[in-house]
Amino acid sequence: WRQVGLEVEQLVLPTGPFFAAIRQTPPQFDVTISFNCQTIVNPQVDVSQFISGDKTAANDGHYIDRKLDEMYDAQLREADPAKQKQILRDYQIYLAKQGYYINTLWWQRTVLSNTKVQDWNVSPSHYLNNQLETVWLQQ
């Protein structure tokens, strides 16, 4: 922030108070870090946090944008996968242009484990390669 000339106060909170603060209405912040990690890969669930704040408690920006709501509803009802994919792509582009969120384009997954853990191949995704039936401990 300072590199672009802004003087800000950064507040680091434990998990419980952090989520209470970002879900508070009206919000007590101008900018926050938000997370979007579901238990499965599902585009409809992944983008649902970006619909208007009066439609989902997951919208940490607390904004209202009916165009996003309409696009989200349209992709939910679209039966043709190619058309649904195009609506979602348009949704992503529109969302990015509004400036509600700045997405992290990539990130590094670092997993530390004891050297005794054998035959576990760590993938770059939280969703892949979570089968642990081949993992064993070297004694």
Side-chain angles (χ1 to χ4, degrees):
W1 294 104
R2 288 185 190 98
Q3 290 180 356
V4 296
L6 298 175
E7 291 295 324
V8 300
E9 176 186 349
Q10 180 179 352
L11 182 60
V12 179
L13 298 170
T15 303
F18 169 76
F19 280 105
I22 64 174
R23 301 266 157 73
Q24 187 175 1
T25 304
Q28 301 299 307
F29 57 86
D30 295 316
V31 176
T32 186
I33 293 174
S34 185
F35 313 95
N36 192 15
C37 189
Q38 315 304 330
T39 57
I40 59 172
V41 177
N42 183 327
Q44 289 76 24
V45 175
D46 290 341
V47 300
S48 65
Q49 84 176 72
F50 305 120
I51 59 177
S52 292
D54 62 348
K55 293 186 174 282
T56 180
N59 178 326
D60 298 331
H62 302 271
Y63 57 82
I64 305 295
D65 191 317
R66 297 300 177 219
K67 183 171 180 179
L68 277 173
D69 299 342
E70 290 170 11
M71 295 169 81
Y72 181 79
D73 290 342
Q75 64 83 29
L76 278 178
R77 290 171 176 73
E78 181 55 61
D80 181 343
K83 289 179 183 176
Q84 184 185 52
K85 183 177 179 180
Q86 184 57 53
I87 295 169
L88 279 170
R89 185 66 184 132
D90 293 342
Y91 182 94
Q92 290 174 315
I93 292 168
Y94 176 80
L95 178 65
K97 287 181 179 180
Q98 300 316 300
Y100 301 131
Y101 288 88
I102 300 172
N103 289 329
T104 303
L105 301 178
W106 64 86
W107 59 310
Q108 186 97 12
R109 181 175 184 218
T110 304
V111 178
L112 301 176
S113 66
N114 190 296
T115 56
K116 293 180 181 180
V117 176
Q118 300 294 311
D119 288 340
W120 184 30
N121 299 313
V122 179
S123 71
S125 168
H126 292 293
Y127 307 114
L128 303 174
N129 198 32
N130 288 320
Q131 296 80 16
L132 302 177
E133 61 267 10
T134 62
V135 177
W136 57 280
L137 294 177
Q138 181 181 26
Q139 295 294 333

